[in-house]
Amino acid sequence: MKEYDTYIFDLDGTLLNTLNDLKTSTNHAMRYAGLPEHSTEDVRRFVGNGVKKLIERAVPGGCSHPQFNEILAEFKRHYSLHSMDTTRPYTGIEEMLSALSHQGKHLAVVSNKFYDATRQLCLHFFGQSISVAIGERESIRKKPAPDTVLEAFRQLGVTADNAVYVGDSEVDIQTARNCNIPCISVLWGFRDRDFLLANGAETLIEKPEDLLAW
């Protein structure tokens, strides 16, 4: 098996189980606007392309809804206050990150979650292991464009050589492809095996400790 020097991780569905808090904030924003609420499975399908796309998928009429910007702002306000109510690392994640860090690997998080929430969550849960955390912001294109991963390489002081992207979604597979690096797809996240394989996954792992075998 190939040994990698640099690991770029997705956040939601890969390192952290954020689904319940995302659903709670989404439904808070729906109630705020008097709109129908969504199930956990709905929100699971909606996530992956950033919070604007999440709310676009949740709101009837999407961006054309007259209250769209107001609903998005209310989601962000609520989520900023409640992003850690039930969110926790998946079992084995902290141990896996610690092991990679002690092996001298370069570790970063690249997420389509908005920038402040990405930084806050990574600092709170992984402050000792993750030094570079990049979220969505207006000045840089989000995944699946390669820009945020390339920015992570720059901040880490590394190149794409011996780098791998680890994620749970089709967006992560596309992002790795656009960066010309391999992707390891995880099976404990927001997408199942059949979906990932149908979207081009080549390497899948079932638990975080499997990553250490690489």
Side-chain angles (χ1 to χ4, degrees):
M1 293 182 181
K2 179 176 174 59
E3 182 176 354
Y4 298 106
D5 297 325
T6 301
Y7 292 78
I8 309 296
F9 292 95
D10 174 52
L11 188 60
D12 296 50
T14 300
L15 299 181
L16 295 176
N17 187 350
T18 56
L19 190 58
N20 189 63
D21 287 336
L22 288 168
K23 183 188 80 168
T24 298
S25 291
T26 298
N27 284 336
H28 167 83
M30 297 300 102
R31 290 193 300 273
Y32 171 84
L35 297 173
E37 297 185 28
H38 292 283
S39 69
T40 299
E41 289 308 307
D42 287 341
V43 176
R44 186 190 300 273
R45 292 194 306 272
F46 295 162
V47 299
N49 296 93
V51 296
K52 183 176 181 181
K53 183 61 72 172
L54 163 61
I55 299 304
E56 180 183 337
R57 290 165 173 161
V59 171
C63 293
S64 64
H65 192 283
Q67 291 179 276
F68 179 80
N69 290 331
E70 188 179 350
I71 296 166
L72 176 60
E74 184 61 20
F75 169 89
K76 288 184 175 181
R77 186 199 69 77
H78 187 273
Y79 189 70
S80 293
L81 297 173
H82 298 279
S83 64
M84 290 184 280
D85 285 1
T86 64
T87 288
R88 297 293 183 272
Y90 288 100
T91 300
I93 288 293
E94 291 167 294
E95 294 81 0
M96 177 268 292
L97 291 176
S98 179
L100 291 174
S101 180
H102 280 92
Q103 291 172 16
K105 306 300 184 183
H106 304 286
L107 310 179
V109 163
V110 171
S111 175
N112 277 344
K113 185 186 291 292
F114 60 99
Y115 184 80
D116 288 345
T118 299
R119 298 279 294 180
Q120 181 183 30
L121 287 167
C122 285
L123 181 63
H124 178 80
F125 289 109
F126 312 122
Q128 299 301 311
S129 299
I130 301 290
S131 59
V132 172
I134 298 173
E136 180 185 13
R137 60 187 192 272
E138 291 184 1
S139 60
I140 190 167
R141 292 187 300 169
K142 66 179 184 293
K143 301 184 299 181
D147 303 43
T148 46
V149 174
L150 298 178
E151 174 64 13
F153 291 155
R154 187 191 69 79
Q155 292 189 27
L156 289 169
V158 302
T159 67
D161 296 336
N162 291 321
V164 65
Y165 195 96
V166 183
D168 73 304
S169 76
E170 72 282 10
V171 175
D172 300 314
I173 296 168
Q174 294 161 10
T175 301
R177 187 177 297 129
N178 290 337
C179 296
N180 293 314
I181 61 175
C183 182
I184 296 176
S185 299
V186 308
L187 293 174
W188 57 81
F190 297 166
R191 305 288 189 264
D192 63 26
R193 180 188 295 270
D194 290 343
F195 182 91
L196 291 169
L197 289 172
N199 281 273
E202 296 181 352
T203 302
L204 300 102
I205 59 173
E206 295 184 347
K207 51 189 184 298
E209 52 264 41
D210 291 344
L211 197 61
L212 300 176
W214 292 82

